[in-house]
Amino acid sequence: TGPATREANPSATAADRPIGFGRIQRKEDPRFVRGKGRYLDDIVLPGMLHGAILRSPMAHGRIVSIDTTEALAHPKVHAVVTGKDLEALNLAWAPTLSADVQAVLATDKVRFQGQEVAFVVAEDRYAARDALELIDVEYEQLTPVVDARTALAPGAPVVRDEMEGRTDNHVFDWEAGDAAATDAVFARADVVVTQEVVYPRVHPAPMETCGAIADYDAVDGKLTLYETTQAPHAHRTLFAIVAGIPEHKIRVVSPDIGGGFGNKVGIYPGYILAVVGSIVTGRPVKWVEDRSENLMSTSFARDYIMTGEIAATREGKILAVRTNVLADHGAFNATAQPTKYPAGFFHIFTGSYDLEAAHCTVTGVYTNKAPGGVAYACSFRVTEAVYLVERMVDLLADELGMDPAELRLRNFIRPEQFPYPNKTGWEYDSGDYEPTMRLAMRMAGYDELRREQAEKRARGELMGIGISFFTETVGAGPRKHMDIVGLGMADGAEVRVHPTGKAVVRLSVQSQGQGHETTFAQIVAEELGIPPEDIDVVHGDTDQTPFGLGTYGSRSTPVSGAAVALAARKVREKAKLIAAAMLEARPEDLEWEKGRWFVTGDPTQGRTMPEISMAAHGTIELPEGVDGNLDAEVTYDPPNLTFPFGAYICVVDVDPGTGHVTVRRFVAVDDCGTRINPMIIEGQVHGGLADGVGMALMELIDFDEDGNCLGGSFMDYLIPTAMEVPDWETGHTVTPSPHHPIGAKGIGESATVGSPPAVVNAVIDALEPYGVRHMDMPCTPARVWAAMQGRATPP
Ligand code: MCN
Ligand code: CUN
């Protein structure tokens, strides 16, 4: 299987380039590579002021008093806002995306280090920061809840004591699967393996931090809000609900986004404070957080303590998986995920295997840490699920003395079992796992690698080979099952073909680097035969785009991509009626070829899209019921999610003296169904693999016993650079989604989801001579070295 479908020479003329799907260069890149992107901080409005946030120095404390007199006296300060001021406006607390509330500015207590305490609006960013130092806050320090394992212990400090009658830190209990059936299968299994598996707290850490510019016009009552957001329409509705400003008076603009990775799904206090600042001062107010603020206060990811159990026969037939999870949600439950699923889509932990039973329980707890959850290319907690099951399968292989590739191959769901109803309530739409796995093994030279490993082991060298085979569930809704704060998960798209045959497509989703301006033009191009360069993609402005829930959970292609394809097909059908009128033929006698309707049996009698679009806006008499344009609009409610999958193989070398891990090779074979732009897909996979290596080897948001965040800068929170990653070896198979109009599944998070277990499995495989069965991420040199000494954590 070759890597690419169609190669395009970038210097080729438009006529040589593929019309539709294929490897075309990104339309947005001329702007980005010339430094002409327009990010939030590039926007300067006349008379704009600057906001800065005073944050809590401690994890848990009661606010005794706040004195803002000196800050207000600063000559460049226009306003200082505290929780008390917000209380008067009923804005001190805002609803989260998970039916909880979050303090916009603390009123009673601070509940995590870095929490928002006061907001200063000043002439410039420097003055605003200087004035923060002039605010005098007296705190009474309280004992924090730092370890989720102790959050439910009797007598633990209560994080959310502002809630009526609350005496503990319990957030929710949730379960999926059949407990009794699973217990019964475990009871008769030959082999059961149990392991606690921790997916630690990490951070999406996009290149651009979060920010907002609010511009409230008191005369016409209109709020224009520039925001780093992945979901402009959802944000607009939430602002309408929270601020009481009607939607038609709110315009949310999401400019170019410098990476989101889930970090820009939520509504942060800073965004709300920019709005308050603008209303109070009557001027536009910009707020942009710095790197430490981003790492310490905005949506973290993971923080799942999972106890996994896997049951199998002695011959290696996997029978069941069960797990209990303790989920650390921080001080407020601000997780972004569909209402029905407090643990996101974690119940895909049944993986790619044909199980007899499965069951999970998830318990969420409050701690004195930053709120958020799910963010970071997670497909709504599929990261945690895949990590759990792929670690458990490796542990089982170890227990049975079986090759981990062989064990997986024996247990895959077979192609004829699709659509496959799994044991926790999903219906996997399509899959053909074995060829994908075999391709990865062939590309890696699996048997040869095992031989090399045996030779090296004999010499005392530590080489590891790690496998991960993942199945994701991406593309939320359907809306009857899925909503976020009551908004059903569907997406709108609008296609307009102008008189001269050029087109514009308007989206409800928002690119943060995924190349939507290219791939969504390609979808229209494929359907209408209009070259992609003649199609403009408009997104990120609620005044210009149809309603929809936005970009996260790799849902843009599965949901919005479907909406675009169907809207384009509507245009094509309308074009058919107009072409028939032009040709004086019956519509049913016309046939389509890319870009043209022609009379069946007489290809010379036809009309091209530009001819038809001119006629639609022209003077010919249009058929009954056809109005004078070539436009269409669709809101797509997906019938099911899509289930992309992939096989990843990682080869590592571990330095026996230092415990340092080098990722020597990484083979990734992905199947995301129909591929719109293979180059963009490879880019998504490369980025996600780097994320995965980062999480597996170095990324960690840790806390000391007082709840101080130890990952608050890029000196402490390590992210991988080109030095730490190998040359990725990518391949693909194509198993289209049967329910998606073009057969495409999502790809944006696959590699982040699928790669961490491959890396960790490789590290543990390398440490086999030391009898290491498991270690928790990140596999830093200190931790690997400790594991080699038989210790769980470094001294
Ligand atoms: N694509 C394709 N063929 C397919 C599937 C996708 O050509 N069969 C293309 C799409 O058209 C799109 C890109 O690949 O241009 C990713 O598509 P999709 O899988 O639908 O994911 P989204 O566009 O919804 O992107 C969201 C996803 C998420 S949730 C995170 S987190 C993440 C990711 O994308 N954040 C990113 N990739 C990122 N890439 C960049 N550069 N920056 C981020 O912040
Ligand atoms: Cu979970 S990170 Mo992406 O879904 O925006």
PDB file of all heavy atoms in Angstrom, residues 78-92:
ATOM      1  N   HIS A  78      -8.210  51.993  34.751  1.00  0.00           N
ATOM      2  CA  HIS A  78      -9.587  52.443  34.502  1.00  0.00           C
ATOM      3  C   HIS A  78     -10.603  51.738  35.380  1.00  0.00           C
ATOM      4  O   HIS A  78     -11.652  52.290  35.669  1.00  0.00           O
ATOM      5  CB  HIS A  78      -9.958  52.220  33.028  1.00  0.00           C
ATOM      6  CG  HIS A  78      -9.324  53.211  32.122  1.00  0.00           C
ATOM      7  ND1 HIS A  78     -10.037  54.135  31.412  1.00  0.00           N
ATOM      8  CD2 HIS A  78      -8.020  53.443  31.826  1.00  0.00           C
ATOM      9  CE1 HIS A  78      -9.212  54.889  30.701  1.00  0.00           C
ATOM     10  NE2 HIS A  78      -7.977  54.483  30.933  1.00  0.00           N
ATOM     11  N   ALA A  79     -10.320  50.523  35.746  1.00  0.00           N
ATOM     12  CA  ALA A  79     -11.289  49.794  36.585  1.00  0.00           C
ATOM     13  C   ALA A  79     -10.594  48.634  37.288  1.00  0.00           C
ATOM     14  O   ALA A  79      -9.625  48.072  36.773  1.00  0.00           O
ATOM     15  CB  ALA A  79     -12.433  49.258  35.739  1.00  0.00           C
ATOM     16  N   VAL A  80     -11.088  48.320  38.477  1.00  0.00           N
ATOM     17  CA  VAL A  80     -10.663  47.109  39.184  1.00  0.00           C
ATOM     18  C   VAL A  80     -11.937  46.382  39.583  1.00  0.00           C
ATOM     19  O   VAL A  80     -12.827  46.972  40.194  1.00  0.00           O
ATOM     20  CB  VAL A  80      -9.821  47.441  40.435  1.00  0.00           C
ATOM     21  CG1 VAL A  80      -9.417  46.140  41.142  1.00  0.00           C
ATOM     22  CG2 VAL A  80      -8.597  48.265  40.069  1.00  0.00           C
ATOM     23  N   VAL A  81     -12.020  45.136  39.194  1.00  0.00           N
ATOM     24  CA  VAL A  81     -13.231  44.367  39.452  1.00  0.00           C
ATOM     25  C   VAL A  81     -12.895  43.223  40.408  1.00  0.00           C
ATOM     26  O   VAL A  81     -11.880  42.534  40.226  1.00  0.00           O
ATOM     27  CB  VAL A  81     -13.800  43.786  38.124  1.00  0.00           C
ATOM     28  CG1 VAL A  81     -15.104  43.029  38.374  1.00  0.00           C
ATOM     29  CG2 VAL A  81     -14.007  44.885  37.094  1.00  0.00           C
ATOM     30  N   THR A  82     -13.720  43.041  41.425  1.00  0.00           N
ATOM     31  CA  THR A  82     -13.537  41.908  42.343  1.00  0.00           C
ATOM     32  C   THR A  82     -14.787  41.029  42.317  1.00  0.00           C
ATOM     33  O   THR A  82     -15.801  41.395  41.706  1.00  0.00           O
ATOM     34  CB  THR A  82     -13.322  42.394  43.793  1.00  0.00           C
ATOM     35  OG1 THR A  82     -14.525  43.047  44.219  1.00  0.00           O
ATOM     36  CG2 THR A  82     -12.146  43.344  43.900  1.00  0.00           C
ATOM     37  N   GLY A  83     -14.708  39.920  43.030  1.00  0.00           N
ATOM     38  CA  GLY A  83     -15.852  39.011  43.108  1.00  0.00           C
ATOM     39  C   GLY A  83     -17.088  39.692  43.672  1.00  0.00           C
ATOM     40  O   GLY A  83     -18.207  39.432  43.239  1.00  0.00           O
ATOM     41  N   LYS A  84     -16.864  40.577  44.628  1.00  0.00           N
ATOM     42  CA  LYS A  84     -18.006  41.309  45.234  1.00  0.00           C
ATOM     43  C   LYS A  84     -18.742  42.127  44.178  1.00  0.00           C
ATOM     44  O   LYS A  84     -19.976  42.164  44.152  1.00  0.00           O
ATOM     45  CB  LYS A  84     -17.506  42.252  46.343  1.00  0.00           C
ATOM     46  CG  LYS A  84     -17.326  41.593  47.682  1.00  0.00           C
ATOM     47  CD  LYS A  84     -17.878  42.485  48.808  1.00  0.00           C
ATOM     48  CE  LYS A  84     -17.968  41.689  50.106  1.00  0.00           C
ATOM     49  NZ  LYS A  84     -16.669  41.076  50.495  1.00  0.00           N
ATOM     50  N   ASP A  85     -17.945  42.820  43.311  1.00  0.00           N
ATOM     51  CA  ASP A  85     -18.575  43.608  42.244  1.00  0.00           C
ATOM     52  C   ASP A  85     -19.404  42.709  41.339  1.00  0.00           C
ATOM     53  O   ASP A  85     -20.499  43.069  40.910  1.00  0.00           O
ATOM     54  CB  ASP A  85     -17.509  44.326  41.395  1.00  0.00           C
ATOM     55  CG  ASP A  85     -16.603  45.209  42.246  1.00  0.00           C
ATOM     56  OD1 ASP A  85     -17.113  45.795  43.220  1.00  0.00           O
ATOM     57  OD2 ASP A  85     -15.395  45.285  41.948  1.00  0.00           O
ATOM     58  N   LEU A  86     -18.855  41.544  41.031  1.00  0.00           N
ATOM     59  CA  LEU A  86     -19.576  40.627  40.145  1.00  0.00           C
ATOM     60  C   LEU A  86     -20.822  40.084  40.820  1.00  0.00           C
ATOM     61  O   LEU A  86     -21.847  39.868  40.178  1.00  0.00           O
ATOM     62  CB  LEU A  86     -18.663  39.469  39.713  1.00  0.00           C
ATOM     63  CG  LEU A  86     -17.482  39.826  38.812  1.00  0.00           C
ATOM     64  CD1 LEU A  86     -16.738  38.556  38.410  1.00  0.00           C
ATOM     65  CD2 LEU A  86     -17.935  40.573  37.561  1.00  0.00           C
ATOM     66  N   GLU A  87     -20.717  39.849  42.126  1.00  0.00           N
ATOM     67  CA  GLU A  87     -21.871  39.343  42.876  1.00  0.00           C
ATOM     68  C   GLU A  87     -23.066  40.288  42.701  1.00  0.00           C
ATOM     69  O   GLU A  87     -24.194  39.845  42.478  1.00  0.00           O
ATOM     70  CB  GLU A  87     -21.510  39.247  44.363  1.00  0.00           C
ATOM     71  CG  GLU A  87     -21.747  37.880  44.947  1.00  0.00           C
ATOM     72  CD  GLU A  87     -21.057  37.694  46.289  1.00  0.00           C
ATOM     73  OE1 GLU A  87     -20.677  38.700  46.953  1.00  0.00           O
ATOM     74  OE2 GLU A  87     -20.895  36.520  46.671  1.00  0.00           O
ATOM     75  N   ALA A  88     -22.765  41.589  42.748  1.00  0.00           N
ATOM     76  CA  ALA A  88     -23.834  42.574  42.599  1.00  0.00           C
ATOM     77  C   ALA A  88     -24.498  42.457  41.233  1.00  0.00           C
ATOM     78  O   ALA A  88     -25.677  42.760  41.078  1.00  0.00           O
ATOM     79  CB  ALA A  88     -23.260  43.973  42.800  1.00  0.00           C
ATOM     80  N   LEU A  89     -23.733  42.004  40.236  1.00  0.00           N
ATOM     81  CA  LEU A  89     -24.287  41.847  38.878  1.00  0.00           C
ATOM     82  C   LEU A  89     -24.783  40.425  38.637  1.00  0.00           C
ATOM     83  O   LEU A  89     -25.188  40.083  37.527  1.00  0.00           O
ATOM     84  CB  LEU A  89     -23.198  42.164  37.830  1.00  0.00           C
ATOM     85  CG  LEU A  89     -22.556  43.535  37.873  1.00  0.00           C
ATOM     86  CD1 LEU A  89     -21.285  43.566  37.033  1.00  0.00           C
ATOM     87  CD2 LEU A  89     -23.549  44.584  37.381  1.00  0.00           C
ATOM     88  N   ASN A  90     -24.721  39.606  39.683  1.00  0.00           N
ATOM     89  CA  ASN A  90     -25.079  38.186  39.560  1.00  0.00           C
ATOM     90  C   ASN A  90     -24.173  37.447  38.565  1.00  0.00           C
ATOM     91  O   ASN A  90     -24.603  36.539  37.863  1.00  0.00           O
ATOM     92  CB  ASN A  90     -26.558  38.042  39.161  1.00  0.00           C
ATOM     93  CG  ASN A  90     -27.102  36.695  39.576  1.00  0.00           C
ATOM     94  OD1 ASN A  90     -26.496  36.000  40.400  1.00  0.00           O
ATOM     95  ND2 ASN A  90     -28.225  36.300  38.993  1.00  0.00           N
ATOM     96  N   LEU A  91     -22.910  37.877  38.499  1.00  0.00           N
ATOM     97  CA  LEU A  91     -21.981  37.277  37.539  1.00  0.00           C
ATOM     98  C   LEU A  91     -20.764  36.654  38.222  1.00  0.00           C
ATOM     99  O   LEU A  91     -19.797  36.282  37.554  1.00  0.00           O
ATOM    100  CB  LEU A  91     -21.489  38.341  36.548  1.00  0.00           C
ATOM    101  CG  LEU A  91     -22.403  38.706  35.381  1.00  0.00           C
ATOM    102  CD1 LEU A  91     -21.774  39.822  34.557  1.00  0.00           C
ATOM    103  CD2 LEU A  91     -22.699  37.495  34.502  1.00  0.00           C
ATOM    104  N   ALA A  92     -20.791  36.548  39.548  1.00  0.00           N
ATOM    105  CA  ALA A  92     -19.614  36.015  40.235  1.00  0.00           C
ATOM    106  C   ALA A  92     -19.398  34.546  39.917  1.00  0.00           C
ATOM    107  O   ALA A  92     -18.273  34.056  39.923  1.00  0.00           O
ATOM    108  CB  ALA A  92     -19.775  36.211  41.745  1.00  0.00           C
TER     109      ALA A  92
END
